[in-house]
Amino acid sequence: MPLVTTNYSEIPLQFAYKRKSVNYEHKETFHSHLGVELLLIHEGKGTMIVNNVRYDIKPGMLCIFQPYQLHHLQLEYADNQCFERSMAIFEPTMFEVYFEKWPSLHAFFKYIFLGKLPFPCLYVIEDLAILDSVFRNMHDQWPHVLESEQYEEISLFLVVLFRALKQLWDKLNVHAGDYQTRRKNHQVENILNWIESHYTVPYRLDEMAKSLHLSPYHLSHLFKEATGISISEYITTRRIHQSILLLTNTNKPISFIAEEIGLMSPSYFCKVFKSHMGLTPHQYRKRWAGPSG
């Protein structure tokens, strides 16, 4: 079963509004994302497989794919069928700070990307027009957003989107008030929590394994089996995400940022950053700031 894990582009949001596919042009392998994907289906028929469970694809459904969650769409194009969808794919840790002002919404946001969701697909959405309007407004607004304001615009879009999604979830889910991140009790979630607390310091597998009471081999195998990437790859990705936040929201020197994310050598940080983002940290910051930056 092939696995494709997408990398982050220069803008930390993959977005589309009412994108159409016809004549079998939308073909996918099993794949996952480093971040969360929200998929709103306007038209289309077929089947979807998420974590080896089959779901029918129907118009008006909303799909939530958590980080590293394998999924696959098998679409039907007979009788001039069209697959039309809106989607947003983003790295939640880059935007969580913007939800902290609203405790209930923040808890729901964390639940969506960390929690053990009862199902990945929501059917019979009565308030589909509300979600549609959130995507449409972003689609209409984006071409007019200054490059220096893109991060702010993405943050506002996600806050509004999750507020609408929370209202929908509360109507459909009998446990609406309990947004517990239950997956944290699993071993992989314990590993992720450990990484979140230690990624800003140099990484040593033996120290990590000792802290989590696992053998280095079992630790590495468990993480790779669950996520599709190695621990070191994940830590590097997490560091890059944090560096983007610091580059775009602070004036800290690049050498300081390298130290803060656990890469003591500025030259090595620049090399790793460019391999992931296609630009050096300085070029990224300059482009993000725009002509007036």
Side-chain angles (χ1 to χ4, degrees):
M1 180 171 62
L3 169 66
V4 178
T5 304
T6 57
N7 292 323
Y8 287 100
S9 60
E10 188 175 329
I11 303 302
L13 173 72
Q14 295 182 50
F15 175 86
Y17 175 64
K18 289 196 171 181
R19 179 180 294 172
K20 288 188 177 182
S21 299
V22 295
N23 298 327
Y24 299 91
E25 63 185 11
H26 184 277
K27 298 179 180 179
E28 290 191 12
T29 59
F30 275 93
H31 71 286
S32 69
H33 308 282
L34 299 179
V36 169
E37 177 182 1
L38 301 179
L39 177 66
L40 181 61
I41 297 177
H42 304 279
E43 292 185 42
K45 293 182 179 179
T47 59
M48 178 186 304
I49 298 175
V50 186
N51 288 352
N52 297 321
V53 179
R54 180 185 177 278
Y55 300 87
D56 290 330
I57 294 175
K58 298 179 180 180
M61 69 185 292
L62 175 71
C63 308
I64 303 170
F65 305 122
Q66 295 176 304
Y68 305 109
Q69 188 170 46
L70 284 171
H71 56 281
H72 178 266
L73 280 67
Q74 185 71 36
L75 299 163
E76 298 176 7
Y77 287 105
D79 300 323
N80 297 318
Q81 286 287 333
C82 167
F83 180 47
E84 184 179 57
R85 72 279 191 195
S86 299
M87 69 173 188
I89 305 173
F90 62 96
E91 161 47 40
T93 61
M94 293 186 67
F95 297 97
E96 184 177 354
V97 64
Y98 295 95
F99 288 81
E100 293 176 352
K101 295 179 181 179
W102 301 281
S104 178
L105 187 61
H106 183 208
F108 177 72
F109 179 76
K110 290 185 68 176
Y111 171 70
I112 289 299
F113 77 89
L114 283 175
K116 186 175 178 60
L117 304 184
F119 36 72
C121 303
L122 305 180
Y123 294 95
V124 193
I125 299 177
E126 296 179 357
D127 298 328
L128 182 63
I130 297 176
L131 293 177
D132 183 280
S133 68
V134 176
F135 277 95
R136 185 179 66 251
N137 289 340
M138 180 62 169
H139 174 76
D140 294 342
Q141 184 73 13
W142 188 253
H144 310 291
V145 176
L146 298 176
E147 192 169 0
S148 59
E149 297 175 354
Q150 288 177 345
Y151 198 94
E152 178 181 345
E153 192 67 29
I154 294 170
S155 304
L156 291 171
F157 162 69
L158 290 176
V159 168
V160 174
L161 178 61
F162 269 84
R163 184 173 185 269
L165 178 58
K166 180 180 181 299
Q167 292 172 344
L168 169 65
W169 191 274
D170 287 349
K171 290 182 179 180
L172 297 179
N173 187 1
V174 294
H175 304 293
D178 182 21
Y179 301 131
Q180 300 298 318
T181 54
R182 286 165 287 177
R183 289 201 309 166
K184 285 186 175 181
N185 295 327
H186 294 187
Q187 284 183 308
V188 173
E189 301 306 333
N190 291 334
I191 297 171
L192 290 170
N193 288 336
W194 189 96
I195 292 173
E196 189 63 26
S197 299
H198 296 84
Y199 75 88
T200 58
V201 297
Y203 159 65
R204 289 179 59 89
L205 177 62
D206 55 347
E207 292 179 359
M208 182 179 181
K210 183 177 180 181
S211 177
L212 293 169
H213 308 290
L214 297 167
S215 72
Y217 171 80
H218 182 58
L219 174 62
S220 299
H221 179 75
L222 182 68
F223 190 86
K224 183 68 176 288
E225 185 177 47
T227 67
I229 63 173
S230 68
I231 294 173
S232 60
E233 288 175 311
Y234 179 84
I235 291 176
T236 297
T237 301
R238 181 64 183 93
R239 286 169 169 169
I240 294 298
H241 294 166
Q242 183 64 18
S243 71
I244 290 172
L245 192 63
L246 295 171
L247 285 168
T248 56
N249 289 275
T250 76
N251 294 318
K252 292 181 178 181
I254 289 172
S255 59
F256 282 27
I257 292 176
E259 185 174 348
E260 282 195 28
I261 65 170
L263 297 174
M264 307 306 291
S265 167
S267 61
Y268 181 63
F269 166 52
C270 292
K271 179 181 178 181
V272 172
F273 189 94
K274 186 173 183 179
S275 70
H276 277 70
M277 305 303 297
L279 298 168
T280 66
H282 177 73
Q283 291 170 333
Y284 187 93
R285 171 177 271 171
K286 186 176 180 180
R287 182 170 295 188
W288 195 275
S292 61

